[in-house]
Amino acid sequence: MKKKKLMTNPISDTGQKLRLLFWESTIKCNLSCAHCRRVDGDDAAGSDLSTAQAKEMINQLALLGENQDFMPMLVFSGGEPLCRDDLFELIDHAKAGGVPCALATNGTLIDSAMARKIKESGFERVSVSLDGATSDIHNKLRKMDGSFEGAINGIRYLNDCGAAFQINITITRHNVHQLDDIFVLAEKLGAVAVHLFMLVPVGCGEEFAAEDMLSADEYEQLLKQVAQKENTIRLEVKVTCGPHYERVIREQGPEQRRMSKGCLAGSGVIFVGHSGDVFPCGYLPVNCGNILQTSLPKIWTSNADLARMRDADQLKGKCGVCGYRTVCGGCRARAFAATGDYMQQEPMCTYIQP
């Protein structure tokens, strides 16, 4: 289908290209996970973007993409996006504008009919969260008995209808010992990728006690373990909110060098909350504007916080003098959670510049 020109206003070129827009499509969710980034409950769903407002956001994203050499991907996240009644109408609108889409779900609302609908809608990929390889671990973090079985059933329905899916796991002290088991389970279920999320203490995650979270040394050892695993399995492996993984990979040798960057908050990624507020990522509560007052392209090209975050020379502490600062950058959200300054050093990194 020929891409429809949705808007024609020119955009200034900052040279910064948006890869992914994560949209909290609704605050509603059928689970209340211990490590979730959301702080509002279902009663705040009245402030979710309306269908018309969401379509205008998609129009703005398409305009931004038309001024790049590729179109950003729109990730329908939440809450639980399958709780949104107009989800598939919005997918159709995005496709008409040439915007590729992905779905991030907990999987428990996916039955055979929903899996077919997801497949037919044209999502590029579906991510399903599994926070353990066994029900006892997953259900404890998801705070609902049966949520593991529900997610596994949803995954099997997706696989049966040929929908490409990945497994997302948020790493905590509760499940880190099951990492190898998660990879085995993901391959058995037919996943194309495993994405590991290093816990950021925001939202509900702030309630985690220190003993529930990995230490900086444990993070380092985990990232080295993942780097070794990546070389031995067919699955695509990605680490999110663990930007020092890009250093660990490069330390394996020149053959491991790749064109990627650790923290993409505000540089390759942006997050739009359920009521239209824009943030550098879903874990960094620095409000950069609201799409109902300021267009998404203008926020992307003109916001001072985003501009500062993109400048590695403004990093502080050991991040500011690190030779890997342009490929790692440190997690800006963890720096903010620890110090109130998103340009401070990454608190969960043990590396010291020689």
Side-chain angles (χ1 to χ4, degrees):
M1 180 183 295
K2 184 178 179 181
K3 184 169 68 174
K4 183 171 68 175
K5 190 78 170 180
L6 293 170
M7 295 177 69
T8 57
N9 294 333
I11 302 175
S12 61
D13 182 11
T14 64
Q16 201 67 49
K17 297 176 181 180
L18 179 62
R19 300 185 194 179
L20 297 167
L21 185 150
F22 290 88
W23 176 38
E24 186 181 41
S25 52
T26 178
I27 201 67
K28 289 190 291 186
C29 190
N30 60 318
L31 300 180
S32 299
C33 305
H35 52 294
C36 183
R37 62 158 299 281
R38 72 172 187 156
V39 292
D40 296 325
D42 286 2
D43 55 349
S47 59
D48 286 352
L49 293 181
S50 68
T51 301
Q53 290 168 337
K55 286 182 176 180
E56 177 56 24
M57 179 195 71
I58 294 170
N59 292 351
Q60 294 176 15
L61 180 60
L63 172 62
L64 198 159
E66 287 170 359
N67 286 268
Q68 301 183 161
D69 54 3
F70 61 89
M71 188 65 71
M73 179 171 287
L74 172 60
V75 182
F76 286 79
S77 182
E80 171 51 56
L82 293 178
C83 290
R84 186 162 179 131
D85 294 338
D86 60 357
L87 175 66
F88 293 98
E89 180 182 348
L90 296 176
I91 295 296
D92 289 342
H93 185 75
K95 286 169 58 181
V99 177
C101 299
L103 175 67
T105 174
N106 62 46
T108 62
L109 300 179
I110 300 176
D111 56 16
S112 179
M114 179 59 73
R116 287 195 303 272
K117 196 169 183 180
I118 289 170
K119 169 64 175 176
E120 292 167 0
S121 70
F123 280 110
E124 301 275 326
R125 186 179 291 186
V126 181
S127 65
V128 182
S129 298
L130 277 184
D131 288 321
T134 55
S135 60
D136 56 330
I137 300 296
H138 177 90
N139 291 349
K140 181 178 181 179
L141 286 168
R142 295 280 154 175
K143 294 186 176 180
M144 179 177 288
D145 291 341
S147 58
F148 178 78
E149 293 78 8
I152 293 293
N153 287 335
I155 287 169
R156 287 177 172 151
Y157 286 126
L158 290 170
N159 193 46
D160 288 346
C161 70
F165 68 92
Q166 69 186 47
I167 301 299
N168 288 357
I169 175 171
T170 299
I171 300 294
T172 69
R173 196 176 297 280
H174 298 288
N175 59 19
V176 66
H177 65 285
Q178 291 193 334
L179 184 61
D180 286 340
D181 294 333
I182 279 288
F183 283 113
V184 170
L185 179 59
E187 286 193 310
K188 180 180 178 181
L189 291 170
V192 298
V194 173
H195 287 203
L196 292 85
F197 287 71
M198 302 298 138
L199 182 67
V200 179
V202 297
C204 297
E206 289 183 298
E207 299 175 7
F208 267 63
E211 60 266 25
D212 296 322
M213 300 176 65
L214 300 183
S215 68
D217 287 333
E218 288 170 324
Y219 265 122
E220 182 76 6
Q221 294 307 309
L222 172 65
L223 295 176
K224 290 178 179 178
Q225 179 185 347
V226 174
Q228 293 174 351
K229 178 69 70 174
E230 186 174 354
N231 292 325
T232 63
I233 60 176
R234 66 169 183 83
L235 291 166
E236 168 198 308
V237 178
K238 186 176 185 298
V239 177
T240 298
C241 300
H244 25 314
Y245 185 64
E246 296 302 324
R247 172 197 31 97
V248 170
I249 284 289
R250 286 163 174 80
E251 288 175 334
Q252 306 297 310
E255 69 279 4
Q256 295 296 329
R257 297 184 71 85
R258 56 191 190 176
M259 296 300 294
S260 56
K261 183 177 182 291
C263 184
L264 294 173
S267 59
V269 165
I270 206 164
F271 182 91
V272 178
H274 72 105
S275 58
D277 289 328
V278 177
F279 303 92
C281 79
Y283 303 104
L284 180 49
V286 174
N287 195 318
C288 299
N290 187 292
I291 62 164
L292 301 182
Q293 283 85 46
T294 308
S295 74
L296 179 64
K298 184 172 183 180
I299 292 172
W300 178 251
T301 58
S302 304
N303 179 264
D305 285 304
L306 297 181
R308 185 179 180 217
M309 228 166 287
R310 293 164 185 164
D311 185 359
D313 290 336
Q314 294 196 46
L315 291 171
K316 301 177 181 179
K318 67 179 184 179
C319 283
V321 298
C322 182
Y324 291 101
R325 66 185 179 277
T326 60
V327 296
C328 167
C331 176
R332 298 301 96 217
R334 269 199 295 271
F336 184 84
T339 69
D341 181 353
Y342 56 74
M343 299 304 289
Q344 269 294 349
Q345 66 187 35
E346 156 74 68
M348 286 296 179
C349 179
T350 62
Y351 182 77
I352 302 295
Q353 181 69 31

